[in-house]
């Protein structure tokens, strides 16, 4: 790999770190301006002024905001995410299992959604403006129009209540057999697949159609190559950069956008963990989960950028 590519990769990574640092400031500031008193929320309305003052001192709430921020950031950089106020449990330990569950769910949703979206996009291009293209585009548009909670409840109604094929509640636990775990995540993974499938398919179709208007594609068609051969040899390789970009953005959504789906199926992932502690006003948990979501989103965007640079030589020499 040549040095210009390494320089571009280093620039992307440095920019990502700066962006994550800026987001950490926003997350911390956002949780500090929330209404209410954290000490009061922990001790309840019957707490005495003395006990409230002692807890505020213990939690460091009397320190200036910038002191608390750097104390929190220092802990994050050393792997110490703090302790949950509502349960007293170590946040890093609690998040470890939750994050694994969310990644497991997102992985299997991506395994189904990514190849299926690309194949449907290629088929739509091959039969563009025909009934196959219109059918695929119509179904994709309909899928995009439905919010994920609606899709989730439809799946629960038909596959869990009416036909009783899959469980309505996606309970998973450590040591659970692989087959049972896959059955438990079938409905939430299907909901996530339907949510991201349409977007990826439409972007794949648009990217390839854009390349199909190029002169070299017309030349390939004039040489007598079949439509599939033109798409496979000339259009798809040149449209791979925007396709990778949209795939990575949707993979990021599968991880950070699972809150609604996890709540519907009571799936023990990061989204459910976040919602549980938002209702308890557990600020350290909200800060930790928010920062992890931001780190995942930024990391996948950096990977998308790097993949696009490697796949498209024109991006290595910006003018």
């Amino acid at each position: 790999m040549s040095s210009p590519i390494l320089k571009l990769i280093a620039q992307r990574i440095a920019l990502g770190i700066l962006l994550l640092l800026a987001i950490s400031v926003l997350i911390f500031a956002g949780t500090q301006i929330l209404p209410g008193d954290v000490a009061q929320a922990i001790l309840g309305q019957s707490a005495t002024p003395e006990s409230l003052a002692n807890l505020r001192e213990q939690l460091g709430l009397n320190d200036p905001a910038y002191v608390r921020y750097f104390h929190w950031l220092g802990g994050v950089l050393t792997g110490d995410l703090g302790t949950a106020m509502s349960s007293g449990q170590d946040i890093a330990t609690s998040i470890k299992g939750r994050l694994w569950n969310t990644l497991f769910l997102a992985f299997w949703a991506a395994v189904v959604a990514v190849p299926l979206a690309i194949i449907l996009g290629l088929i739509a291009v091959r039969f563009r403006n025909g009934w196959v293209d219109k059918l695929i585009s119509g179904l994709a548009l309909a899928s995009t129009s439905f919010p994920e909670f609606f899709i989730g409840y439809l799946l629960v109604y038909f596959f869990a209540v009416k036909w009783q094929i899959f469980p309505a509640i996606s309970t998973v636990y450590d040591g659970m057999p692989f087959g049972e775990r896959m059955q438990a995540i079938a409905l939430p993974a299907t909901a996530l697949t339907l949510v991201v499938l349409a977007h990826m398919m439409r972007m794949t179709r648009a990217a390839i159609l854009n390349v199909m208007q190029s002169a070299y594609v017309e030349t390939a068609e004039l040489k007598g190559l079949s439509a599939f051969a033109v798409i496979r040899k000339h259009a798809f390789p040149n449209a791979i950069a925007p396709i990778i970009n949209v795939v990575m953005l949707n993979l990021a959504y599968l991880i950070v956008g699972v809150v609604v789906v996890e709540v519907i199926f009571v799936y023990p992932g990061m989204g459910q963990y976040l919602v549980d502690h938002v209702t308890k006003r557990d600020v350290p948990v909200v800060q930790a989960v928010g920062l992890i979501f931001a780190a995942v989103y930024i990391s996948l965007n950096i990977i998308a950028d790097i993949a696009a640079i490697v796949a498209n030589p024109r991006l290595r020499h910006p003018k």
Side-chain angles (χ1 to χ4, degrees):
M1 187 178 290
S2 60
S3 56
I5 295 182
L6 291 177
K7 184 179 177 183
L8 287 171
I9 292 173
Q11 287 175 344
R12 295 295 192 279
I13 294 174
L15 194 61
I17 293 173
L18 287 176
L19 184 58
L20 186 59
L21 193 61
I23 290 176
S24 73
V25 174
L26 291 176
I27 290 174
F28 185 84
T31 54
Q32 298 306 304
I33 61 175
L34 289 173
D37 185 344
V38 175
Q40 188 80 65
I42 295 174
L43 296 178
Q45 295 298 323
S46 60
T48 63
E50 292 77 14
S51 60
L52 285 173
N54 289 336
L55 185 57
R56 288 194 187 100
E57 184 65 27
Q58 182 184 342
L59 296 175
L61 298 177
N62 295 327
D63 294 334
Y66 72 90
V67 173
R68 284 181 279 129
Y69 168 73
F70 283 112
H71 179 73
W72 172 65
L73 186 63
V76 170
L77 293 176
T78 57
D80 179 15
L81 298 178
T83 304
M85 292 179 175
S86 56
S87 62
Q89 295 177 342
D90 181 66
I91 296 175
T93 304
S94 300
I95 281 180
K96 188 177 177 182
R98 299 276 186 159
L99 182 60
W100 164 248
N101 287 340
T102 294
L103 292 176
F104 184 81
L105 176 62
F107 171 77
W108 286 107
V111 164
V112 177
V114 172
L116 187 59
I118 293 175
I119 290 172
L120 288 176
L122 292 174
I123 293 174
V125 171
R126 168 62 184 85
F127 299 101
R128 61 184 180 278
N129 300 326
W131 69 269
V132 175
D133 181 22
K134 291 177 181 176
L135 177 64
I136 294 175
S137 298
L139 291 175
L141 190 61
S143 175
T144 306
S145 304
F146 292 132
E148 52 208 281
F149 71 86
F150 183 74
I151 294 175
Y153 284 127
L154 277 182
L155 292 174
V156 169
Y157 174 73
F158 284 107
F159 290 95
V161 178
K162 192 165 183 167
W163 299 328
Q164 299 182 354
I165 299 174
F166 298 109
I169 296 177
S170 301
T171 303
V172 295
Y173 52 85
D174 291 339
M176 189 176 187
F178 181 75
E180 293 181 17
R181 184 179 281 264
M182 292 299 292
Q183 188 178 20
I185 69 164
L187 292 186
T190 303
L192 286 173
T193 298
L194 291 175
V195 168
V196 300
L197 178 67
H199 185 221
M200 285 193 290
M201 190 284 292
R202 287 168 62 84
M203 292 302 295
T204 300
R205 179 183 180 276
I208 296 177
L209 280 179
N210 187 44
V211 175
M212 292 289 285
Q213 296 173 357
S214 304
Y216 61 85
V217 172
E218 293 180 3
T219 303
E221 290 174 339
L222 291 174
K223 286 181 178 177
L225 291 177
S226 67
F228 268 125
V230 171
I231 293 172
R232 181 172 58 85
K233 292 183 179 179
H234 298 281
F236 184 70
N238 287 287
I240 195 67
I243 292 174
I244 289 175
N245 205 299
V246 73
V247 166
M248 285 297 174
L249 287 176
N250 281 278
L251 290 181
Y253 176 80
L254 285 177
I255 297 174
V256 305
V258 297
V259 176
V260 174
V261 171
E262 287 188 358
V263 170
I264 290 173
F265 294 97
V266 201
Y267 184 73
M270 291 286 285
Q272 182 72 52
Y273 186 61
L274 174 64
V275 171
D276 287 345
H277 289 80
V278 164
T279 58
K280 299 173 185 172
R281 205 182 181 283
D282 203 327
V283 173
V285 174
V286 176
Q287 290 172 336
V289 175
L291 193 62
I292 290 173
F293 277 165
V296 170
Y297 199 85
I298 290 172
S299 299
L300 288 175
N301 272 277
I302 291 173
I303 293 173
D305 266 359
I306 293 172
I309 289 170
V310 172
N312 190 344
R314 288 176 296 181
L315 296 178
R316 301 174 205 165
H317 307 285
K319 293 181 179 179

